[in-house]
Amino acid sequence: MVNIGIVGVGLVGSELVSQILRSSYKNAMKVVALSTSQKMILSDSEYKSLSISQSEDIRSAVVQTGIAANLDQFASYLASSKQHSVIIDCTASEEVARLYPSWLRSGLSVVTPNKKGFSSSLELFKEIKEITTDKKAPLVYHEATVGAGLPVLSTLTDLVKTGDEIVRIEGIFSGTLSYLFNSFSSLTNSSGQKFSEIVSIAKSLGYTEPDPRDDLNGMDVARKVVICGRLAGLDLDLSTLPVENIVPKDLQSIQSTEEFMNKLPEYDDHFSKLNKEALDSNQVLRYVGTVDVQGGQSGVKLIKCPSSHPFASLQGSDNIIKFTTKYFPNGIVIQGAGAGAAVTAYGIFTDLIKIQERVEGF
């Protein structure tokens, strides 16, 4: 039996609660604490499961009935339980991520899709790793930081643990950029849509961040590359990783999203030229992140992929990650949905199950 406290009950946090309540683990995992940025709900001193229905708007319930949010109080409440407790950070906050060491030292395990704790400060990453080295220490799992529910990090961890030598990790890590370039640069699709039109459609569908430049600047992909690189044994850092920002330079400093979207069509010829150059040589444009363990050429950039390459035939908003190793010189390819509340919550849930089973001694 484990107690669960969730920080951040938006789409992913609420979906996770629903998945737990629908599963066979609902009696082995007790959701006893929930917090938004402003309000929180804690169960009683006996750590009974909070009364939550699958159909309930969980965030609204917390906001309407909760007390003022205080993460120190939230963590102390969970740490005081005689049963093992887990904090799930479903925020994207670097400030929250910096709390992981204190949570771990208090005996709490941590599960999160928040990339900040594992891709920002190298010192923070190493501190978390050092704390959890002891076999009796609390556990940290963050599968959903790369590829949502896809088994990317668990596969990488297994490769490292078994002594395999990682040569290269490369992939399309962003569902947003996957959708954009699968739609714009395809050997089988001659719709002729302009790049700005595809960005506009993706934004209307909710595939992009509210400001699409937060996707197009490559930093989300860069964080995922850093996480994979660090797990593979490299001291990668965002400050030194080469990242190609594909937002036209003149549009990078524009203040409003609306103005950016209005001016993006002026650069359609730029993207069309790049696409034509690729298609003329039977290639397609793909935005790829690379961890070059042995060659030292890690980075994030827009490249031309030959039609025979697995990345060229990608569909929709899928992610695809390829591991090339000593044991697997032809590569291991993992492909599938890499974004969305359901698959992200699934990734968190699988991490939770690992903790629950280890606590129970399975």
Side-chain angles (χ1 to χ4, degrees):
M1 182 73 70
V2 295
N3 297 320
I4 297 169
I6 302 175
V7 180
V9 283
L11 290 175
V12 173
S14 298
E15 172 64 22
L16 174 62
V17 173
S18 296
Q19 289 187 14
I20 292 172
L21 293 177
R22 294 195 302 266
S23 77
S24 60
Y25 285 88
K26 61 185 177 182
N27 295 321
M29 299 177 181
K30 297 187 296 181
V31 179
V32 300
L34 297 168
S35 180
T36 69
S37 59
Q38 296 181 327
K39 295 291 186 72
M40 68 180 185
I41 295 177
L42 308 178
S43 181
D44 58 23
S45 59
E46 296 181 3
Y47 297 89
K48 297 176 183 176
S49 296
L50 293 171
S51 298
I52 307 168
S53 67
Q54 292 185 39
S55 60
E56 187 173 3
D57 185 334
I58 297 171
R59 180 177 177 81
S60 294
V62 175
V63 171
Q64 292 172 11
T65 64
I67 59 176
N70 182 316
L71 289 184
D72 289 338
Q73 181 183 351
F74 189 91
S76 295
Y77 166 75
L78 289 166
S80 297
S81 173
K82 294 180 180 180
Q83 296 172 321
H84 191 74
S85 295
V86 183
I87 286 190
I88 301 172
D89 172 20
C90 286
T91 75
S93 167
E94 191 161 343
E95 182 179 354
V96 174
R98 287 198 290 266
L99 296 174
Y100 296 173
S102 65
W103 291 349
L104 292 165
R105 289 192 178 98
S106 70
L108 298 171
S109 289
V110 175
V111 174
T112 183
N114 184 354
K115 294 180 281 292
K116 303 294 174 60
F118 309 93
S119 64
S120 296
S121 161
L122 185 57
E123 289 73 23
L124 175 59
F125 174 81
K126 290 184 174 181
E127 185 178 8
I128 292 169
K129 188 175 180 180
E130 182 180 353
I131 294 171
T132 54
T133 298
D134 192 301
K135 291 183 178 180
K136 295 183 180 180
L139 305 166
V140 172
Y141 286 105
H142 55 103
E143 182 69 73
T145 58
V146 179
L150 297 177
V152 176
L153 299 187
S154 55
T155 300
L156 175 55
T157 300
D158 287 344
L159 290 168
V160 172
K161 283 183 177 179
T162 56
D164 196 358
E165 295 179 16
I166 310 296
V167 176
R168 189 178 181 88
I169 306 166
E170 57 189 332
I172 296 173
F173 292 89
S174 165
T176 301
L177 291 167
S178 177
Y179 173 83
L180 291 178
F181 285 103
N182 292 342
S183 302
F184 179 63
S185 186
S186 170
L187 294 169
T188 59
N189 181 7
S190 57
S191 64
Q193 279 186 309
K194 297 178 179 179
F195 187 73
S196 63
E197 294 172 344
I198 294 172
V199 173
S200 181
I201 292 170
K203 186 176 185 298
S204 68
L205 293 172
Y207 288 174
T208 72
E209 294 294 328
D211 187 336
R213 286 176 293 182
D214 292 336
D215 297 296
L216 298 172
N217 65 14
M219 291 310 297
D220 176 66
V221 177
R223 288 189 179 279
K224 295 169 184 177
V225 166
V226 166
I227 291 170
C228 289
R230 289 177 177 179
L231 291 182
L234 300 179
D235 285 347
L236 291 188
D237 194 278
L238 287 174
S239 63
T240 56
L241 186 75
V243 179
E244 181 178 356
N245 184 347
I246 60 174
V247 178
K249 189 172 182 179
D250 291 343
L251 303 186
Q252 292 177 15
S253 59
I254 288 176
Q255 293 299 311
S256 74
T257 302
E258 182 179 4
E259 187 179 0
F260 164 72
M261 294 299 295
N262 287 337
K263 290 191 173 183
L264 185 58
E266 297 175 13
Y267 295 85
D268 279 332
D269 287 346
H270 162 71
F271 289 103
S272 294
K273 181 180 178 182
L274 293 175
N275 194 28
K276 184 177 185 303
E277 290 173 354
L279 295 177
D280 285 348
S281 56
N282 202 35
Q283 296 176 312
V284 292
L285 298 174
R286 295 292 182 262
Y287 195 75
V288 174
T290 301
V291 179
D292 187 1
V293 177
Q294 299 186 0
Q297 298 297 312
S298 300
V300 179
K301 60 183 178 180
L302 186 65
I303 68 170
K304 298 173 185 175
C305 282
S307 59
S308 58
H309 197 286
F311 297 175
S313 58
L314 203 61
Q315 300 291 317
S317 59
D318 277 4
N319 285 185
I320 183 168
I321 293 88
K322 180 182 180 182
F323 297 97
T324 303
T325 75
K326 180 180 178 180
Y327 296 162
F328 299 93
N330 293 325
I332 298 173
V333 175
I334 298 172
Q335 178 178 343
V343 291
T344 302
Y346 163 84
I348 299 168
F349 197 180
T350 60
D351 284 346
L352 263 177
I353 291 171
K354 292 173 185 174
I355 291 177
Q356 193 272 335
E357 291 180 341
R358 288 181 66 171
V359 168
E360 295 295 331
F362 294 149

